[in-house]
Amino acid sequence: TPQKIAVSAGGRQWSYAQLIERASALSSILCAQRVARGDVVAILGPRSFAVVGSMLAALMCGAVFVTIDPALPRERRRLMLRETAAKVLCVVDDAGQPMDLGQDDGLGVVRLDSSLDALASLRGDALGASPAIKGDDAAYVFFTSGSTGRPKAILGCHKGLSQFLEWQRQTFDIGQDDRISQLIALS
């Protein structure tokens, strides 16, 4: 159902086809930055279409994503980049100054607008087939709150994410026409 609504915010919507089109184009850009299976792609920006598209783009090239809330203190953001050994940082709407976040350490930077409109005309066909993913392969990283001292990175795998989403779908009887509001913080 490529024409069904995949992402909605404010008065704007993306269909699944639009989401895949932009994520494929961004995935091609990430691959051109030599992002490979298992590499970490950090995504820094406010809740937006670009953050959703960036998460999917990272997964499409076999990478692991970590979302970083631009409202976090600078040192916390730097810690997250160091701990994950991120290869590329996707910065949405000038959410942070890359030199402030470790570009001097060889971190590649991709700048994006919050709607990924600039990618709408690009084709993601340089990507080719996505790498084969196994259930135990890493998918994302999130950090503990750090309330006991230093925040700790938690690595989530595809199998765990898939099982959680299936549990959520069954437990709350989520169907194709339901909409879900995501309220948790990006980090």
Side-chain angles (χ1 to χ4, degrees):
T1 56
Q3 298 313 313
K4 284 205 172 223
I5 302 304
V7 182
S8 178
R12 187 159 190 185
Q13 299 176 330
W14 270 2
S15 67
Y16 284 100
Q18 290 170 308
L19 172 60
I20 293 298
E21 174 185 81
R22 286 172 172 91
S24 293
L26 180 53
S27 186
S28 293
I29 292 168
L30 293 175
C31 288
Q33 294 266 337
R34 292 188 168 71
V35 171
R37 182 179 178 177
D39 287 340
V40 175
V41 173
I43 304 163
L44 174 69
R47 291 175 199 229
S48 62
F49 288 83
V51 168
V52 174
S54 297
M55 292 164 61
L56 183 56
L59 293 174
M60 290 173 86
C61 56
V64 179
F65 70 81
V66 59
T67 53
I68 302 175
D69 189 330
L72 290 173
R74 180 168 90 67
E75 282 310 308
R76 172 80 182 242
R77 292 179 290 172
R78 288 181 64 92
L79 174 128
M80 293 171 79
L81 290 171
R82 277 193 312 273
E83 291 289 315
T84 60
K87 186 167 190 173
V88 171
L89 172 64
C90 293
V91 180
V92 179
D93 283 345
D94 296 322
Q97 299 302 317
M99 293 305 283
D100 204 27
L101 295 171
Q103 187 180 28
D104 51 332
D105 299 324
L107 180 67
V109 176
V110 176
R111 295 195 168 276
L112 304 166
D113 68 282
S114 62
S115 64
L116 292 184
D117 283 341
L119 298 180
S121 62
L122 299 177
R123 293 182 46 105
D125 44 17
L127 178 63
S130 295
I133 300 296
K134 296 182 178 128
D136 289 326
D137 287 348
Y140 62 94
V141 179
F142 70 91
F143 282 79
T144 62
S145 65
S147 59
T148 60
R150 185 180 172 126
K152 293 173 184 58
I154 308 294
L155 192 60
C157 67
H158 285 271
K159 177 173 60 179
L161 180 60
S162 177
Q163 289 171 347
F164 170 73
L165 292 173
E166 182 59 21
W167 168 85
Q168 197 175 44
R169 188 189 66 74
Q170 288 179 2
T171 301
F172 300 109
D173 194 27
I174 298 170
Q176 284 187 340
D177 294 322
D178 292 324
R179 299 293 174 260
I180 300 168
S181 178
Q182 297 299 324
L183 302 173
I184 59 173
L186 288 174
S187 293

